[in-house]
Amino acid sequence: MKLGIGLYRHMLDRNHFKFAKQLGCSHVIVHLVNYYSEKQGILPATDDKTNYGESIENDFIWSYDGLKNLKDIAAEEGIEIYGIENFSPADWYDVLLDGPHRDEQVENLKRIIANVGRVGIRNFGYNFSIAGVWGHKRLAVARGGAVSVCFDASALPIDASIPDGEVWNMTYRDGPKDTFIAPVSHADLWNRFERFLNEILPVCEKSGVALALHPDDPPMPELRQTARLVYQPKYYDKLINLNKSPMNQLEFCLGSLKEMSEGNIYKETEKYSRNKRISYIHFRNVKGTVPKYDEVFLDEGDIDMFKILRILRDTEYTGLLIPDHTPEMTCPGSWYAGMAYAIGYMKAAIRAICEEKCNE
């Protein structure tokens, strides 16, 4: 098992690669989309009035030269980029919405995947969602009053329409006032998704890039009048059955899966790890399930994280684990302190379960 952290667009510099190395990480997942910032923080609160901001179309960072420069800087600091997480909404909004620019956007996504493979990055996480990651709050819900992410559907206008010009909780253009996207059914969403998979996976195979789907977060059946794709674990099976390509993989988020109203997180981890379908893992813990849950420290949630690690050990999982995000400590550098705590816990836990096996 490899250990790493996720770094966001404003963190893609030498100091943050050094930070990852100092924590004892060998790899990172990088987010090239500008949905978070130093000012607004990680996973800021959003609702029907506030989203993640404006999405940038055809950003240079997605080019071969942009990706190679980033990979080279990380390598100079002793860090390997294991994968990239999420396409820019401005680059594929009509793939999600089945709009008039769909085909040209698919061709651009193919070029992006080819560039990713050409520079030697082997994993690409994504979330096929119209509403995106939406409706979370940041409150003092973790141990000791640490600020973390929480979701409570009863406190949100969950049926609020999505404005024209917005997708995946970001604005890609200024749409007409008081105009909204049409509702999206489960059948429509799965049809769009299957078409996307069948077009993009051959490029993934040729480029050596695993395409890894993140489950819905929050895992509600519908959100803002649009269907959700993987809001129960069984839909991961449906995903795999749509296309048997070995590059059709999972961005296995323990937190999102545990937030679902059905399933057994341990059985699911065992099945998908044994079947070699997990590209990388978001190793995070939660309390509760939809429609209300809180993200908490690794050692205070509903998941037995040691049990998860033993399953991964016994199924010979060799991929990456990252905390994704974590409660923030009440101190200067709150994100860094929270991430350091999570990585320290993970390093010690991995060593402990490996030593268990050696002593049997």
Side-chain angles (χ1 to χ4, degrees):
M1 286 179 271
K2 303 174 181 67
L3 191 61
I5 60 173
L7 293 177
Y8 301 97
R9 179 61 181 266
H10 63 287
M11 298 176 173
L12 301 181
D13 56 36
R14 289 188 183 276
N15 282 342
H16 285 88
F17 293 134
K18 288 180 185 292
F19 175 68
K21 187 69 175 180
Q22 290 163 7
L23 291 178
C25 299
S26 56
H27 294 73
V28 294
I29 296 291
V30 295
H31 299 247
L32 306 187
V33 186
N34 59 319
Y35 30 60
Y36 308 143
S37 68
E38 187 172 6
K39 181 180 179 180
Q40 69 183 144
I42 308 305
L43 261 172
T46 59
D47 54 26
D48 59 324
K49 302 293 190 300
T50 305
N51 66 13
Y52 287 154
E54 295 184 6
S55 178
I56 301 172
E57 185 178 8
N58 293 322
D59 192 341
F60 171 78
I61 201 167
W62 294 101
S63 68
Y64 170 78
D65 289 339
L67 292 168
K68 186 176 187 304
N69 180 62
L70 185 64
K71 188 172 186 291
D72 288 348
I73 292 172
E76 288 168 8
E77 302 301 336
I79 289 292
E80 183 175 347
I81 296 178
Y82 187 89
I84 296 169
E85 192 159 320
N86 289 324
F87 295 109
S88 175
D91 288 336
W92 76 322
Y93 56 87
D94 269 354
V95 178
L96 297 170
L97 297 173
D98 196 25
H101 302 292
R102 183 200 176 280
D103 290 348
E104 64 188 79
Q105 289 182 352
V106 167
E107 293 306 309
N108 187 43
L109 298 186
K110 290 178 181 179
R111 286 190 290 271
I112 287 172
I113 292 295
N115 288 338
V116 170
R118 187 179 166 199
V119 301
I121 299 172
R122 297 302 170 203
N123 300 274
F124 200 109
Y126 69 113
N127 186 326
F128 200 94
S129 171
I130 309 296
V133 180
W134 179 86
H136 294 91
K137 304 298 181 187
R138 288 171 50 83
L139 300 172
V141 295
R143 184 176 56 229
V147 172
S148 191
V149 175
C150 55
F151 180 81
D152 183 354
S154 69
L156 290 161
I158 60 172
D159 293 328
S161 299
I162 300 174
D164 183 17
E166 179 179 317
V167 75
W168 212 90
N169 207 14
M170 294 193 79
T171 300
Y172 61 87
R173 64 168 169 77
D174 291 330
K177 187 177 180 181
D178 297 326
T179 304
F180 305 92
I181 70 168
V184 179
S185 70
H186 286 96
D188 286 342
L189 188 64
W190 277 97
N191 286 337
R192 296 174 193 180
F193 178 59
E194 183 175 13
R195 185 181 174 195
F196 163 76
L197 272 187
N198 291 338
E199 289 176 311
I200 205 77
L201 282 171
V203 180
C204 293
E205 291 177 0
K206 183 178 179 180
S207 304
V209 177
L211 192 69
L213 182 74
H214 191 291
D216 283 302
D217 186 10
M220 300 284 288
E222 296 180 352
L223 201 59
R224 306 192 72 181
Q225 301 182 38
T226 63
R228 308 288 270 176
L229 199 74
V230 177
Y231 62 91
Q232 301 289 14
K234 62 186 177 184
Y235 294 116
Y236 260 162
D237 285 342
K238 183 174 181 177
L239 154 74
I240 292 167
N241 289 329
L242 283 180
N243 191 305
K244 298 295 187 179
S245 168
M247 294 302 176
N248 186 19
Q249 295 195 13
L250 313 180
E251 182 186 336
F252 201 74
C253 180
L254 293 169
S256 294
L257 288 161
K258 186 60 179 172
E259 292 158 9
M260 295 176 182
S261 61
E262 298 176 4
N264 182 304
I265 191 68
Y266 309 109
K267 290 181 179 179
E268 290 141 15
T269 302
E270 196 278 336
K271 176 173 66 175
Y272 295 120
S273 180
R274 190 172 299 282
N275 292 338
K276 309 304 179 188
R277 282 292 175 177
I278 299 177
S279 172
Y280 63 99
I281 294 173
H282 283 178
F283 195 82
R284 61 180 179 86
N285 213 338
V286 299
K287 285 183 178 179
T289 61
V290 289
K292 187 180 188 302
Y293 60 82
D294 298 329
E295 297 186 16
V296 295
F297 289 108
L298 288 173
D299 58 331
E300 66 163 331
D302 295 337
I303 307 173
D304 182 339
M305 306 306 276
F306 271 76
K307 186 173 182 178
I308 293 290
L309 289 173
R310 291 186 183 102
I311 292 169
L312 295 174
R313 176 198 65 193
D314 295 343
T315 53
E316 299 180 344
Y317 175 73
T318 59
L320 182 69
L321 295 87
I322 69 169
D324 186 23
H325 33 81
T326 184
E328 299 177 6
M329 302 286 198
T330 306
C331 63
S334 58
W335 179 87
Y336 302 94
M339 196 57 60
Y341 175 83
I343 290 294
Y345 178 96
M346 293 167 69
K347 284 179 67 70
I350 291 170
R351 180 171 180 175
I353 63 101
C354 289
E355 288 181 352
E356 283 178 356
K357 196 70 172 178
C358 293
N359 293 333
E360 288 181 354

